[in-house]
Amino acid sequence: MDLKKINSLTKYPSILTYHKLGEKGRLTESLSEEKGFLHESDRIYVYEKVDGENARVIFFKNDINEIDYLIGSREELLYAKGDRIGNPYGGIAEFLKPIADKLLPAVFSENDWALTVIYQESYGGKTKAAKQYTDNKTQDYRFFDVFSLSQNELNHLLSLPQEKIAEWRDHGNQPFYNEDEKLRFIQAFGLAYAPLLATEQGSNFPKTLEDTYAFLQSFEQTKVGIDASGKSEGIIARSSDRKHIRKIRFEDYERTFRK
């Protein structure tokens, strides 16, 4: 299996800010892509944005039809089951190996997938915002997304040049689970997940900078403190089908409103 292609097709996509970034990193009144965030009839799910290291566990069927796995950071693969790749970056792989080993026997039990990618934020420990969550550098994780591919889908993608795989990913084609599917996955495997803070109708979701900042301030304290409970990084707002997803961070709005 071509690991460079696997790495590319499983990288987590960038999430747009809700309001457009302008000069000196300050937000403008324009919403991203110059259109409304979501259709008015959509239900918006608001999750805490956990501040750590984006990490992924990639489960796949290998050449002899056994379930195997890789662990990666946002940009690179860090570990392959059996120590075939070993990269100590951020302590991510060392921390996630027991979780991957626990899920390995059952992750494809309900569906005949060829690949499933689980995304989580590895936080605390030695990450830059650890003090918001822990006083003694304890590490933890929170799951936030998952997608799966059939064997035919995976074979097709791996047959493409790497730049075409990146194009497929960057155009939002990774088939992420919707909210109901994601919840069933969480419950089936007992995963710790980024907390759902609120649900809103699209028509009620704030649109101006001022209203959005006021809405954000009601989620200022983190809900995922390990042995400390500091400030949240912000929120992720997403539609039920995950076709629309935006990040709303304190630092962006604080910079914008700073005199």
Side-chain angles (χ1 to χ4, degrees):
M1 185 170 287
D2 189 324
L3 292 182
K4 288 184 179 180
K5 290 184 177 182
I6 288 290
N7 186 42
S8 182
L9 74 87
T10 62
K11 284 183 179 180
Y12 197 70
S14 297
I15 299 175
L16 294 173
T17 55
Y18 181 43
H19 287 93
K20 273 189 171 182
L21 286 169
E23 294 182 1
K24 297 181 179 179
R26 293 185 176 179
L27 298 166
T28 72
E29 283 288 355
S30 298
L31 299 179
S32 292
E33 299 182 339
E34 298 183 354
K35 62 182 180 181
F37 175 40
L38 298 159
H39 297 297
E40 291 192 353
S41 61
D42 279 341
R43 173 165 284 221
I44 316 306
Y45 293 80
V46 179
Y47 287 91
E48 179 171 341
K49 188 178 189 306
V50 183
D51 195 349
E53 292 278 359
N54 185 297
R56 53 199 152 127
V57 181
I58 306 156
F59 295 97
F60 62 97
K61 290 182 180 177
N62 62 23
D63 294 338
I64 56 174
N65 209 38
E66 292 178 343
I67 310 302
D68 206 341
Y69 71 76
L70 301 160
I71 294 173
S73 64
R74 175 182 284 278
E75 294 297 328
E76 59 185 321
L77 300 177
L78 303 176
Y79 180 82
K81 181 175 173 284
D83 293 315
R84 287 166 291 148
I85 303 173
N87 184 330
Y89 174 77
I92 292 172
E94 193 63 31
F95 180 74
L96 291 178
K97 275 193 291 183
I99 298 168
D101 288 332
K102 178 183 175 182
L103 296 180
L104 185 65
V107 70
F108 291 156
S109 60
E110 293 187 11
N111 299 92
D112 190 25
W113 298 119
L115 178 141
T116 289
V117 193
I118 300 171
Y119 296 92
Q120 58 268 304
E121 198 78 5
S122 177
Y123 72 107
K126 296 180 180 179
T127 58
K128 65 178 182 178
K131 66 180 181 180
Q132 303 298 336
Y133 308 106
T134 176
D135 290 329
N136 58 17
K137 296 186 177 179
T138 303
Q139 192 170 357
D140 206 346
Y141 81 96
R142 291 288 168 147
F143 163 93
F144 58 87
D145 249 328
V146 56
F147 81 78
S148 298
L149 295 172
S150 69
Q151 191 66 65
N152 286 340
E153 290 169 328
L154 180 59
N155 290 345
H156 169 68
L157 285 165
L158 293 178
S159 73
L160 300 175
Q162 194 166 327
E163 62 270 19
K164 290 295 184 181
I165 294 173
E167 185 179 309
W168 169 86
R169 181 194 70 228
D170 292 341
H171 281 80
N173 290 314
Q174 291 163 313
F176 286 99
Y177 289 22
N178 65 30
E179 286 296 315
D180 290 339
E181 292 166 338
K182 187 179 73 170
L183 181 59
R184 286 195 293 270
F185 190 90
I186 288 167
Q187 292 172 337
F189 297 107
L191 296 170
Y193 58 97
L196 178 63
L197 304 174
T199 57
E200 298 283 341
Q201 289 301 118
S203 56
N204 295 331
F205 204 85
K207 291 181 174 60
T208 67
L209 282 171
E210 188 173 340
D211 288 349
T212 303
Y213 187 33
F215 178 74
L216 178 62
Q217 286 174 308
S218 62
F219 309 115
E220 188 164 13
Q221 187 174 1
T222 182
K223 303 291 186 185
V224 297
I226 302 167
D227 53 62
S229 188
K231 187 175 180 179
S232 164
E233 184 185 11
I235 58 177
I236 296 290
R238 51 195 287 172
S239 58
S240 59
D241 61 5
R242 203 201 166 282
K243 295 295 185 183
H244 301 277
I245 179 168
R246 299 290 183 267
K247 60 186 176 185
I248 303 174
R249 301 181 299 185
F250 280 100
E251 65 174 313
D252 294 330
Y253 289 83
E254 289 167 351
R255 184 188 306 114
T256 299
F257 286 106
R258 193 175 296 135
K259 299 295 185 181

